[in-house]
Every structure is written in structure tokens, then in C-alpha cells.
Amino acid sequence: MQFNKEELERYNRNILLSGIGKIGQQKLKEAKVLVVGAGGLGSSVLFYLAAAGVGEIGICDGDSLDLSNLQRQILHTTQDLNKNKAQSAKEKLESLNPLIKIKTFKERLSKENVLGIIQDYDLVVEATDAFVSKFLINDACVLGGKILVRASALHFCGQAMSVKPKESACYACLFDSPPKGEVLTSASVGILGAVAGLFGCIEANEAIKIITGVGKPLFDEFLTCDVRDMEFRKIAIKRNPKCKICGENGITSLEETRYKSV
């Protein structure tokens, strides 16, 4: 276990934590985490994973930054307008922590490329804002055997859960398929920027807990909060043995899913 002088100073407050120490910090240094989405949720996730010393971070986002994003996507600045979000995020994180490796995927996920993108990572953090994205990433992680941390944020509310494939409940155990008809989005009902930041921090915390083995992750638990009254609820959930994704007769290929691209 080798840390240079800069690492020992940079990560000192992590190392002082009971249950993390140098062993936990080494686990963070060796970890490879993919974050899908570099927007409102992803901004907090990426900042805190990079600051914590996660050794290799992948950033997947095919979108470019527009002015309305800056109300909540704090990883980016006005000077980044029209720039690819993954590239913009990479530049900020390299400035924050030059000791880690960062790889970008400036493309939209599809059932054709998602398994190839997630295969080199230990853990996937889903930080997107579209239902189709959430289902595709869940399905790919179940199929690829990758631990998934996922969250959503809209209006004044957020939700989060973690998934250990074939062991804990997956996203499809709770929600059979994306909603039909008109779907509420931040463009239609708005979103308080701090809500995205809060649940992005929760995702980063989940990832760090899972990597280091500290605490109890949100496996088989669904966390929600409405920040207007700051009422957090943690709901116990169970894996559905008949789930069409992770159940006994679940998918064996992404060709069986309905999601073409996100």
C-alpha cells in the first residue's frame, strides 16, 4: 500500500475516518467508476468521487451544455456553453485532482454500445434525466453483473437506490417499464438545483460506501425526499423473482429490451 506525500495530505480527512483509513483509501484509488450523465446529478457525483480519490472515472454524456443547464449543473460554467458535457466535466475534474485518470465517452448510450462501455468499470452511477436511459442502464448492469447506484431528481423531490445484480431489487422490480404518454420533465415543471445536488451527493456517498465497505448501502431500499419539508423516507423493497429483467426468467441479451438509444 503506497501513497506519496501529496496523496497522504490530499486524502488526509478520508484516511482519518474510522472504517476507511489507508485500506479504504487504497480501495478508492484502485476503483473504476463510470458515471452516466454529467448534468445536475452528475455534477455532484463527479466532484465528490474525484475529490475522494477514486482512481479511474469514466464520464458518459453525449449532450452539449446550454444556458438553462447552469441553474443546477454546477460542474460547468458560462464559458462551457455548447461544449460537450463529458469534456467540460473532464477539464474541471483534472483541475480539481490531477492524480486520477478520467476517460470520456461523448456519445449516447444504446443497446449496441452500453455493455462495451460499462465492461471495464467496477461500479456504474446512473445520473441521467430520462426514463429510457434509466431502464437501459439498469438492464445493462444486471446483464453485465455491475453494481448500480441510481437516482432521480425533479421539481422539489428526489429518489435513490442501489442495485446488486441478481441479489437485490433492480429498477425494473419497482417500475415495470417507462411511463406512457406525457412525462414530466424539468423543462415542463422545473427543478430546484439544490435537489439535484443533494441526490448527486447521496449517489457519491453510496458509491464510496460500496467501494470501501463502510456502512449499509441502499440495497433493497428506496430513499425519497421532498425538500419542501425535508421529509426523508426509506422504503424497504424486495427483488421480484418474476422480474422480466433480473428474475428467474430474466433477459439474457439486450436484444430482448425495448430501448434502442438514450
Side-chain angles (χ1 to χ4, degrees):
M1 193 182 307
Q2 296 292 325
F3 295 102
N4 61 35
K5 183 178 179 181
E6 181 180 351
E7 288 174 317
L8 288 173
E9 185 172 353
R10 180 182 287 270
Y11 305 129
N12 173 263
R13 301 306 194 270
N14 279 358
I15 292 169
L16 288 173
L17 287 169
S18 175
I20 292 187
K22 289 185 178 179
I23 292 175
Q25 192 61 47
Q26 184 68 26
K27 291 178 180 179
L28 289 169
K29 184 176 181 178
E30 295 172 354
K32 298 180 179 181
V33 177
L34 176 70
V35 179
V36 185
L41 292 165
S43 287
S44 294
V45 174
L46 288 162
F47 261 135
Y48 279 105
L49 293 185
V54 170
E56 187 169 331
I57 297 175
I59 310 170
C60 182
D61 200 314
D63 289 339
S64 297
L65 190 74
D66 66 52
L67 192 58
S68 68
N69 297 149
L70 294 177
Q71 168 258 7
R72 64 198 177 282
Q73 300 182 16
I74 59 171
L75 193 54
H76 313 289
T77 69
T78 303
Q79 286 68 41
D80 299 313
L81 289 174
N82 301 315
K83 185 182 293 185
N84 172 266
K85 291 181 184 179
Q87 180 60 36
S88 172
K90 181 177 188 289
E91 293 167 4
K92 309 307 184 305
L93 299 181
E94 286 178 335
S95 177
L96 171 67
N97 190 350
L99 303 180
I100 64 176
K101 296 179 182 179
I102 299 173
K103 183 175 182 179
T104 59
F105 301 90
K106 304 172 189 178
E107 57 195 284
R108 294 183 180 276
L109 288 184
S110 69
K111 64 181 181 181
E112 287 76 28
N113 67 14
V114 63
L115 290 175
I117 289 175
I118 71 173
Q119 67 180 355
D120 294 329
Y121 294 90
D122 308 312
L123 184 150
V124 176
V125 179
E126 180 268 301
T128 69
D129 61 0
F131 282 107
V132 172
S133 307
K134 295 177 184 299
F135 279 91
L136 177 62
I137 295 164
N138 175 82
D139 297 359
C141 286
V142 169
L143 198 57
K146 303 293 183 179
I147 291 178
L148 171 65
V149 175
R150 61 150 310 275
S152 300
L154 186 67
H155 203 228
F156 293 99
C157 303
Q159 56 177 239
M161 65 184 288
S162 294
V163 179
K164 185 179 289 188
K166 302 297 182 72
E167 294 187 38
S168 71
C170 80
Y171 191 57
C173 289
L174 296 185
F175 305 103
D176 183 62
S177 62
K180 297 179 180 179
E182 184 178 359
V183 177
L184 297 180
T185 67
S186 62
S188 63
V189 300
I191 178 173
L192 186 66
V195 175
L198 172 63
F199 275 84
C201 286
I202 289 172
E203 286 190 285
N205 188 59
E206 280 292 289
I208 291 169
K209 284 161 53 183
I210 291 167
I211 292 166
T212 61
V214 171
K216 183 177 179 292
L218 290 169
F219 296 134
D220 287 328
E221 292 184 311
F222 192 70
L223 180 71
T224 68
C225 180
D226 184 327
V227 300
R228 287 172 292 188
D229 57 16
M230 288 307 293
E231 181 179 351
F232 279 90
R233 295 183 62 204
K234 192 188 292 185
I235 304 166
I237 55 178
K238 291 183 178 180
R239 181 182 173 212
N240 178 4
K242 296 182 179 180
C243 174
K244 62 186 178 184
I245 302 301
C246 76
E248 297 168 359
N249 297 310
I251 59 171
T252 58
S253 166
L254 288 182
E255 292 302 317
E256 300 171 48
T257 69
R258 292 165 288 176
Y259 319 120
K260 294 182 180 181
S261 63
V262 299

